[in-house]
Amino acid sequence: MPKPDPALFRAAMASLPTGVTIVSASGADGPAGATANAVCSLSIEPMLMLACLDRGSRTLLAVQAADRFGISVLHAGQEPTARAFATKAPVAEKWSGVAWSERDGLPAIDDALTWVACDLRDVIAAGDHVIVTGEVRALETSAGDPLVFHGGEYRPLD
Ligand SMILES: Cc1cc2nc3c(=O)[nH]c(=O)nc-3n(C[C@H](O)[C@H](O)[C@H](O)COP(=O)(O)O)c2cc1C
């Protein structure tokens, strides 16, 4: 069977709608964060989250150094934040452009729909990404419409 084309793989996975998060950690030089949609809940007992981070992600380095990470689930009005954190701009620039606060010892995006603070548990190499799992230490959530990523675009839910 011929190997599927990577472009087809990307296009196929673009058909899968996801929420949009900022995965964050406190790095040696200040807060680090990346837009990430490869994030999900993993286990209830124990309570675990999972995130997949590119091997070249500066946020991955910060997560490993801090042994902790946070997840801010963005609401429909936070597309500018998603765009800002999906770049390789100097890390400090990402944070200077958004409202954020330190929460549970981690940098968190203000007004996100949901906040999850995790202690790093597993770090699993997987192709060009690394799977990190984290034990949930703190949680906050509120009602509202999520930011959705589908077909390579940010969309409201409707
Ligand atoms: C909608 C969207 C979802 C993304 N999801 C992920 C993801 O799950 N994991 C990841 O490593 N990068 C993801 N990225 C890419 C990162 O945000 C991007 O590589 C970023 O520059 C990483 O920043 P850093 O090097 O400061 O960590 C996503 C980008 C977009 C636009």
Side-chain angles (χ1 to χ4, degrees):
M1 203 181 293
K3 205 170 147 192
D5 186 311
L8 176 62
F9 182 52
R10 279 177 183 274
M13 290 305 102
S15 71
L16 176 66
T18 67
V20 183
T21 77
I22 305 299
V23 173
S24 58
S26 287
D29 304 322
T35 303
N37 63 351
V39 170
C40 63
S41 58
L42 175 63
S43 162
I44 293 184
E45 189 50 59
M47 207 177 294
L48 299 175
M49 292 294 293
L50 176 156
C52 304
L53 293 172
D54 188 279
R55 282 179 181 281
S57 163
R58 296 167 297 183
T59 304
L60 171 64
L61 290 178
V63 167
Q64 291 185 275
D67 231 23
R68 314 188 60 209
F69 61 96
I71 297 168
S72 300
V73 179
L74 301 184
H75 66 65
Q78 290 178 310
E79 180 177 333
T81 301
R83 289 190 182 278
F85 280 82
T87 70
K88 292 291 180 189
V91 178
E93 250 176 52
K94 293 188 179 187
W95 293 91
S96 63
V98 298
W100 67 278
S101 316
E102 192 171 293
R103 208 173 300 175
D104 306 308
L106 288 158
I109 304 295
D110 286 353
D111 297 329
L113 279 184
T114 292
W115 164 248
V116 190
C118 297
D119 284 345
L120 182 62
R121 184 170 158 135
D122 306 293
V123 178
I124 303 158
D128 53 20
H129 277 56
V130 171
I131 300 166
V132 294
T133 73
E135 191 144 353
V136 176
R137 293 299 183 202
L139 271 173
E140 280 170 54
T141 192
S142 54
D145 283 344
L147 184 62
V148 173
F149 194 68
H150 177 246
E153 291 178 5
Y154 296 101
R155 302 176 167 215
L157 197 54
D158 52 10

